Amino acid sequence: MHNTDKLKRILHKENLRYTQQRQEVWDEICASDEHQDAEGIYNSLRKRQVNVSRATVYRTIDVLVKNNLVRRLNLDDGRSRFENKTGIEHHDHIVCLDCRKIIEFMDGTIEKMQTRIAKEQGFEIVRHVHQLFGRCLDEKCPNK
Amino acid sequence: MHNTDKLKRILHKENLRYTQQRQEVWDEICASDEHQDAEGIYNSLRKRQVNVSRATVYRTIDVLVKNNLVRRLNLDDGRSRFENKTGIEHHDHIVCLDCRKIIEFMDGTIEKMQTRIAKEQGFEIVRHVHQLFGRCLDEKCPNK
DNA sequence: TCCTCTATTGAGATTGAGTCTCAAAGAAGT
DNA sequence: ACTTCTTTGAGACTCAATCTCAATAGAGGA
């Protein structure tokens, strides 16, 4: 399904109108895989002459997150970052504390274990956060 | 080692002075296991007639966190929460989305697996965040 | 105990991400 | 094109956290 159709589908489901601004915000999130924050999305749009207000960027992101088109990441740096969640397998993140490089990982065994652990404690998991912070061994990383 | 000694040790190491305010903040964190936020710690102190400013609460917490006496938790609710980290085994958290109940869990196998995964990706882990958000089955939980 | 040198403190200003307000603009059905 | 109702944008506002700076108070030495 094309990105525009995904957007139209959730807007219809939520009884919201299809607007140019919402399309532009969603396009920007689809176009980048850099885990941009809201300000970054806003700046990227302005850079290519798209006039969308900050308020609309935030409001649109909320709709996209609520409807599972976008994932909100909290990487402990004081702002939310966003990634397109469609057509992508679930994964968690490893973050370099020096260069802020973000890479993705996924381990089915860990996923199953955490579900079991939660159940043993009387919880039904809705979502989880699993982030590994450390130092990468990349030559270009500033701490080398 | 007594709590006061732990505090004095890190203050000395950091070339900082031992003050009544720093002792009070540390005492409050030691006295409670409710994962209080900075405002909560500030209010608890005022309630028992201890005059410490908000700025001092924040500044003291930073020193305690930096020196591993306190752990900062980011539970996705827009503020940091704190727990005494001394004399306590490492653990992660399960949080009920309805009643915000927090319980702790720890699984050695998962810990080892995440270290291995990070190494495979060229990272040396410094710290990790592993949080399970869901719904508890507690009778008293508001969503029942 | 007093002095001196600095670090610390408190009150309030400031920051910054995110939210809210409300008049004007714009979807979408008729 | 008309009407209705939603959405938008600009800027005010919120709230956790940080910063500023004059006044206060540790801590070592005399």
Side-chain angles (χ1 to χ4, degrees), chain A residues 25-26 28-38 41 61 64-65 67-75 80-94 102-105 128 131:
Chain A
V25 172
W26 173 227
E28 180 57 35
I29 293 173
C30 291
S32 159
D33 54 0
E34 299 179 47
H35 305 95
Q36 287 191 95
D37 58 22
I41 293 166
I61 288 172
L64 298 173
V65 168
N67 288 278
N68 274 319
L69 258 50
V70 166
R71 172 140 76 134
R72 178 190 305 274
L73 302 179
N74 181 340
L75 263 23
S80 293
R81 294 168 175 281
F82 303 96
E83 67 181 12
N84 179 354
K85 199 173 167 184
T86 67
I88 290 189
E89 332 259 296
H90 164 72
H91 57 261
D92 293 298
H93 298 90
I94 308 179
I102 300 169
I103 78 155
E104 299 166 356
F105 77 95
H128 70 267
Q131 300 162 343

Side-chain angles (χ1 to χ4, degrees), chain A residues 39-56:
Chain A
E39 190 69 16
I41 293 166
Y42 173 72
N43 287 331
S44 300
L45 291 171
R46 305 210 97 207
K47 201 167 286 173
R48 53 183 176 79
Q49 321 288 343
V50 177
N51 271 321
V52 176
S53 70
R54 234 177 286 262
T56 296

